[in-house]
Amino acid sequence: MNNLLPPGVLPLDHGHLQKLATADLVRPDHLLGAHPVTQDGVEGVRFAVWAPNAQHVSVVGDFNGWNGFDNAMERLDFGYWGAFVPAARHGQRYKFRVTGADGRTVDKMDPYGSFFEVRPLTASIVWDQPFTWTDHTWMQERRAGYDRPISVYEVHVESWARREDGWFLNYRDLAHRLAEYVGYLGYTHVELMGVMEHPFDGSWGYQVTGYYAPTSRMGSPEDFKYLVNHLHEKGIGVYLDWVPGHFPTDEVGLAHYDGGPLFEYADPRKGFHNDWNTYIFDYGRNEVVMFLIGSALKWLQDFHIDGLRVDAVASMLYLDFSRTEWVPNIHGGRENLEAIAFLKRLNEVTHHMAPGSVTIAEESTAFSGVTTPTPHGLGFDYKWAMGWMNDTLRYFEEDPLWRKYHHHALTFFNVYRATENYVLAISHDEVVHLKKSMIMKMPGDWYAQRANYRAFLAMMWTTPGKKLLFMGQEFAQPTEWNHEGQLPWHLADVPDHRGILNLVRRLNELYVGRPDWHTGDVGSEGQVWVSGDDADNSVYAYIRRDPQGTAWSLVVANLTPVYRDLYPVGVPQAGEYRMLLSTDDGEYGGFGTQQPDLTTKEQGWNGQPYHLRLNLPPTSVLVLEPVGKTEEVPTEGQTKGQTPEPQAREEVADPELKETSPPVTPPTGDDR
C-alpha cells in the first residue's frame, strides 16, 4: 500500500497506536480524526477514532448520504478504528456512527474534529486549509515574563460586540476592532473566553465539545488564526480559556462515547459534577491524558496562542470538591493523584513544546506549589489570586464608616503573596449571577461609587501581581454582563463612564512604562509598606520598587469619604516629588484636589527618615515619585502605624479639571 501523507499526519500503524496508548504521543490529533490523504494514488480522507468498547463503528457524512453501511471502520490495535474514504473531501460534514457496548447506536462528533457546524447542528467538518502567519518575530520573542508587564483584558468573544443584525462578528472583524481598542487602552494581552466549540451559548464556552476547534459561530479556523495573527502584529498577546476539568453530557459529544464511560471516570463519585451537570475526565487513562495535552498543544502550536488559563483547577485537585460522597485516593487522602500527575505533565510538555507560552491556574484553595516548577510543584507560571480578590472586594463593598474594622483585609495579601506567582483577576465570575457589576458593588451615591471604583482600580494596579479585568468594567458598565447581547458601548463616551476608561488607560500606561510597577510583581521585593496600620483613618501607604534597579514610587490611599489635608507620609528620600496619578483628577471624574508643596520635611515619619505633607482627597489614591535620580529603597520597610498629628487646614484652590483625551469610537456591529 502506497500512502502519501501530508506533513503533520502520522501513519495509522501499530507503532504509533502503541505510542498513543502508552502516553508517548503528545499530538494524537496527528493520528486520529479526519485527515485528507492520498492512498494508492487515490485522494480521500482517512478517519480514525478511539472507541475500545464499541461493537461497530462506521463513518457517515455528505460523501455517502449518511449511510452507515458504506464506510464501516476497521478495528485496529489498542481499541482504535480506522477507514479510508475515497469520496470524502475538504468541507464535507461527517460523524462517527458508534454501536456501543450497551447495544445502542449513536452518531457522535469527532473528538479530534477541527471544525464543526454552527450550533444547534453538531456535525464535524473535514477541514484542511493553509494559513500564512506573519507573527514570526512575536513568536520568537515571547516568554513567560515574570518581570514583564502583563495586563490582561478578558473578552467573551461572542458578546464583546455584535453585528447590527445581532449575529456574531466574524473573527476577522473582531481582530481589527479589538486590536484598536485594546491597544488604545494599553493592555498587553487579551484572554479570550468562549472560543472552543460548545453547544450551549449559556455555558459561556465552559462546556466544551470541540477541544481542537474554534467555534464556528464566528468563522473558520483560518479566520480565528487571522485574529491571533493580527493581535500579535499589533503587539498584543493572546491567552485562551481552556477547560480540562469537565465536559458536558450531550449525547453527541464525549459522554459515554462507546456506550459506556470512556473519557469520564466510571464511578459517578469521581466522574460527575452535580453542580455543573458535567462529566469529569478520567486522568488515569493514557488516551484521555493525551487527548487533553494534545488539545493544549494544538492551541499553543497551531493557533499561536501565548498561554492557557486552566479553568477550575481546584475541582481537579480534590476528590471531595463540592461533594458529600467521594472516593479517597490510594493513601486515603482527598487529593486526586491522577489529576495532579496530569497537570504536572501538562506543564512540562507545553513549556517544552511551545517555548515562551504560559499556563495560568484558576485555583481557589491553598494547595501548595501551584506555581512551583515540577516535579516538586504543579509547574504553572501563574495562579489567580482568588484570596486577594475576595478580601479586596469585601473591603470595598463595606460602608466606609465600618472599613476601619476591616483594615487588614487590604494588607493580608502581603503575608502570602510571595508564595506563588499571582494574577490579580477581576473576571466575568464577579459580575454575573446577581453579584452586580463592579461599579454597582461600591457603596454610596453615584459619585461615591465612582470614587470608590477608581480607588479600587488604582489599588489593584499598584499591588504586586499581573492584572486582569473583564470587559465592560473598564468603562464602569452599570449592569451585569449579559452574554446574549453586546456591551453597552454607548456608555463609553458618557463623561462619568469615560472617566473610568481614562483611568484604566493611565494605569496601564504607568504599569507598562514603569519598571517599579511590574518588575517586582512576583516575589517579596516589589513592595515595601510605609503605613499599613492607620485603621482609624483608613489610610494606606506603600512603595512599589524595581528589585532590579532604583526606580520606585509612593502609593497613598485614603479609603473614606473624608478630606485629609497635610496628612504626613514617610518617605525614604529627601527632595522634591511629583504627582504621577491622582484618582481624584477631573480627567477621571474627580474634583481635582490640589496639592501643597511636594518637598520633603526633615522630620522622620512611619519609620522613614523624611516625610511629605499631602492633601488626601476623599476616597482616592495618589501615586508620587521623587524628582530627579531615585535612590534605592531597602526591602525591609517598617510600619509604625502612627496617628498623624492634628494640623491646621489650609485653603485649597478651586480644582482645575484636566482636558479629557479624544474619544474612542466604540466598536459597533456591522455586517460582514
CSV table of all heavy atoms in Angstrom, one decimal, residues 374-395:
chain,number,residue,atom,x,y,z
A,374,THR,N,7.9,21.8,38.4
A,374,THR,CA,7.8,20.4,38.6
A,374,THR,C,9.3,19.8,38.8
A,374,THR,O,10.2,20.5,38.4
A,374,THR,CB,7.2,19.7,37.4
A,374,THR,OG1,8.0,19.9,36.2
A,374,THR,CG2,5.8,20.1,37.1
A,375,PRO,N,9.5,18.7,39.5
A,375,PRO,CA,8.5,17.8,40.0
A,375,PRO,C,7.9,18.1,41.3
A,375,PRO,O,6.9,17.5,41.8
A,375,PRO,CB,9.2,16.5,40.0
A,375,PRO,CG,10.6,16.9,40.4
A,375,PRO,CD,10.8,18.2,39.7
A,376,HIS,N,8.4,19.2,42.0
A,376,HIS,CA,8.0,19.5,43.4
A,376,HIS,C,6.7,20.2,43.4
A,376,HIS,O,5.9,20.1,44.4
A,376,HIS,CB,9.1,20.3,44.1
A,376,HIS,CG,10.4,19.6,44.1
A,376,HIS,ND1,10.7,18.5,44.9
A,376,HIS,CD2,11.6,19.9,43.5
A,376,HIS,CE1,11.9,18.1,44.7
A,376,HIS,NE2,12.5,19.0,43.9
A,377,GLY,N,6.4,21.0,42.4
A,377,GLY,CA,5.1,21.7,42.3
A,377,GLY,C,4.3,21.3,41.0
A,377,GLY,O,4.7,20.4,40.3
A,378,LEU,N,3.2,22.0,40.8
A,378,LEU,CA,2.4,21.7,39.6
A,378,LEU,C,3.0,22.3,38.3
A,378,LEU,O,2.7,21.8,37.2
A,378,LEU,CB,1.0,22.2,39.8
A,378,LEU,CG,0.2,21.6,40.9
A,378,LEU,CD1,-1.2,22.2,41.0
A,378,LEU,CD2,0.1,20.1,40.8
A,379,GLY,N,3.8,23.3,38.5
A,379,GLY,CA,4.5,23.8,37.3
A,379,GLY,C,3.8,24.9,36.5
A,379,GLY,O,4.2,25.3,35.4
A,380,PHE,N,2.7,25.5,37.0
A,380,PHE,CA,2.1,26.6,36.4
A,380,PHE,C,3.0,27.8,36.5
A,380,PHE,O,3.8,28.0,37.4
A,380,PHE,CB,0.7,26.9,37.0
A,380,PHE,CG,-0.4,26.0,36.7
A,380,PHE,CD1,-0.6,24.9,37.5
A,380,PHE,CD2,-1.1,26.1,35.5
A,380,PHE,CE1,-1.7,24.0,37.2
A,380,PHE,CE2,-2.1,25.2,35.2
A,380,PHE,CZ,-2.4,24.2,36.0
A,381,ASP,N,2.8,28.8,35.5
A,381,ASP,CA,3.5,30.0,35.6
A,381,ASP,C,2.9,31.0,36.5
A,381,ASP,O,3.6,31.7,37.3
A,381,ASP,CB,3.6,30.7,34.2
A,381,ASP,CG,4.4,29.8,33.2
A,381,ASP,OD1,5.6,29.8,33.3
A,381,ASP,OD2,3.8,29.2,32.4
A,382,TYR,N,1.5,31.0,36.5
A,382,TYR,CA,0.8,32.0,37.4
A,382,TYR,C,-0.4,31.3,38.0
A,382,TYR,O,-0.9,30.3,37.5
A,382,TYR,CB,0.4,33.2,36.6
A,382,TYR,CG,1.5,34.0,36.0
A,382,TYR,CD1,1.9,33.9,34.7
A,382,TYR,CD2,2.2,34.9,36.8
A,382,TYR,CE1,2.9,34.6,34.2
A,382,TYR,CE2,3.3,35.6,36.3
A,382,TYR,CZ,3.6,35.5,35.0
A,382,TYR,OH,4.7,36.2,34.5
A,383,LYS,N,-0.9,31.9,39.0
A,383,LYS,CA,-2.1,31.5,39.7
A,383,LYS,C,-3.0,32.7,39.9
A,383,LYS,O,-2.5,33.8,40.3
A,383,LYS,CB,-1.8,30.8,41.0
A,383,LYS,CG,-3.0,30.5,41.9
A,383,LYS,CD,-2.6,29.9,43.2
A,383,LYS,CE,-3.8,29.7,44.2
A,383,LYS,NZ,-3.5,29.0,45.4
A,384,TRP,N,-4.3,32.5,39.7
A,384,TRP,CA,-5.2,33.6,40.0
A,384,TRP,C,-5.3,33.9,41.5
A,384,TRP,O,-5.3,32.9,42.3
A,384,TRP,CB,-6.6,33.3,39.5
A,384,TRP,CG,-6.9,33.7,38.1
A,384,TRP,CD1,-5.9,34.0,37.1
A,384,TRP,CD2,-8.2,33.9,37.5
A,384,TRP,NE1,-6.6,34.3,35.9
A,384,TRP,CE2,-7.9,34.2,36.1
A,384,TRP,CE3,-9.5,33.8,37.9
A,384,TRP,CZ2,-8.9,34.5,35.2
A,384,TRP,CZ3,-10.5,34.0,37.0
A,384,TRP,CH2,-10.2,34.4,35.7
A,385,ALA,N,-5.2,35.1,41.9
A,385,ALA,CA,-5.2,35.5,43.3
A,385,ALA,C,-6.6,35.6,43.8
A,385,ALA,O,-7.2,36.7,44.0
A,385,ALA,CB,-4.4,36.8,43.5
A,386,MET,N,-7.3,34.5,44.1
A,386,MET,CA,-8.7,34.4,44.5
A,386,MET,C,-8.8,35.0,45.9
A,386,MET,O,-9.8,35.7,46.2
A,386,MET,CB,-9.2,33.0,44.4
A,386,MET,CG,-9.0,32.3,43.1
A,386,MET,SD,-9.9,33.1,41.7
A,386,MET,CE,-11.5,32.4,42.0
A,387,GLY,N,-7.8,34.8,46.8
A,387,GLY,CA,-7.9,35.3,48.1
A,387,GLY,C,-7.8,36.8,48.1
A,387,GLY,O,-8.6,37.5,48.8
A,388,TRP,N,-6.9,37.4,47.3
A,388,TRP,CA,-6.8,38.9,47.1
A,388,TRP,C,-8.2,39.4,46.6
A,388,TRP,O,-8.7,40.4,47.1
A,388,TRP,CB,-5.7,39.2,46.2
A,388,TRP,CG,-5.8,40.7,45.7
A,388,TRP,CD1,-5.3,41.7,46.3
A,388,TRP,CD2,-6.5,41.2,44.6
A,388,TRP,NE1,-5.6,42.9,45.7
A,388,TRP,CE2,-6.4,42.6,44.6
A,388,TRP,CE3,-7.3,40.6,43.6
A,388,TRP,CZ2,-6.9,43.4,43.6
A,388,TRP,CZ3,-7.8,41.4,42.6
A,388,TRP,CH2,-7.6,42.8,42.6
A,389,MET,N,-8.7,38.8,45.6
A,389,MET,CA,-10.0,39.2,45.0
A,389,MET,C,-11.1,39.3,46.1
A,389,MET,O,-11.8,40.3,46.2
A,389,MET,CB,-10.4,38.4,43.9
A,389,MET,CG,-11.7,38.7,43.2
A,389,MET,SD,-13.1,37.9,43.9
A,389,MET,CE,-12.7,36.2,43.5
A,390,ASN,N,-11.3,38.2,46.8
A,390,ASN,CA,-12.3,38.1,47.8
A,390,ASN,C,-12.2,39.1,48.9
A,390,ASN,O,-13.1,39.8,49.3
A,390,ASN,CB,-12.4,36.7,48.4
A,390,ASN,CG,-13.0,35.7,47.4
A,390,ASN,OD1,-14.0,36.0,46.7
A,390,ASN,ND2,-12.4,34.5,47.3
A,391,ASP,N,-10.9,39.2,49.4
A,391,ASP,CA,-10.7,40.2,50.5
A,391,ASP,C,-10.9,41.6,50.1
A,391,ASP,O,-11.5,42.4,50.8
A,391,ASP,CB,-9.3,40.0,51.1
A,391,ASP,CG,-9.1,38.7,51.8
A,391,ASP,OD1,-10.1,38.1,52.2
A,391,ASP,OD2,-7.9,38.3,52.0
A,392,THR,N,-10.4,41.9,48.9
A,392,THR,CA,-10.4,43.3,48.4
A,392,THR,C,-11.9,43.7,48.1
A,392,THR,O,-12.3,44.8,48.4
A,392,THR,CB,-9.5,43.5,47.2
A,392,THR,OG1,-8.2,43.1,47.6
A,392,THR,CG2,-9.5,45.0,46.8
A,393,LEU,N,-12.6,42.8,47.5
A,393,LEU,CA,-14.0,43.2,47.1
A,393,LEU,C,-14.8,43.3,48.4
A,393,LEU,O,-15.7,44.2,48.5
A,393,LEU,CB,-14.6,42.1,46.2
A,393,LEU,CG,-14.1,42.2,44.7
A,393,LEU,CD1,-14.9,41.1,43.9
A,393,LEU,CD2,-14.4,43.5,44.1
A,394,ARG,N,-14.6,42.4,49.4
A,394,ARG,CA,-15.4,42.6,50.6
A,394,ARG,C,-15.1,43.9,51.3
A,394,ARG,O,-16.0,44.5,51.8
A,394,ARG,CB,-15.1,41.4,51.5
A,394,ARG,CG,-15.9,40.1,51.3
A,394,ARG,CD,-15.8,39.2,52.4
A,394,ARG,NE,-14.5,38.7,52.7
A,394,ARG,CZ,-14.0,37.6,52.2
A,394,ARG,NH1,-14.7,36.8,51.4
A,394,ARG,NH2,-12.7,37.2,52.5
A,395,TYR,N,-13.8,44.3,51.3
A,395,TYR,CA,-13.5,45.6,51.9
A,395,TYR,C,-14.2,46.7,51.2
A,395,TYR,O,-14.8,47.6,51.8
A,395,TYR,CB,-12.0,45.8,51.9
A,395,TYR,CG,-11.5,47.1,52.4
A,395,TYR,CD1,-11.2,47.2,53.8
A,395,TYR,CD2,-11.4,48.2,51.7
A,395,TYR,CE1,-10.8,48.4,54.3
A,395,TYR,CE2,-11.0,49.4,52.2
A,395,TYR,CZ,-10.7,49.5,53.5
A,395,TYR,OH,-10.3,50.7,54.1
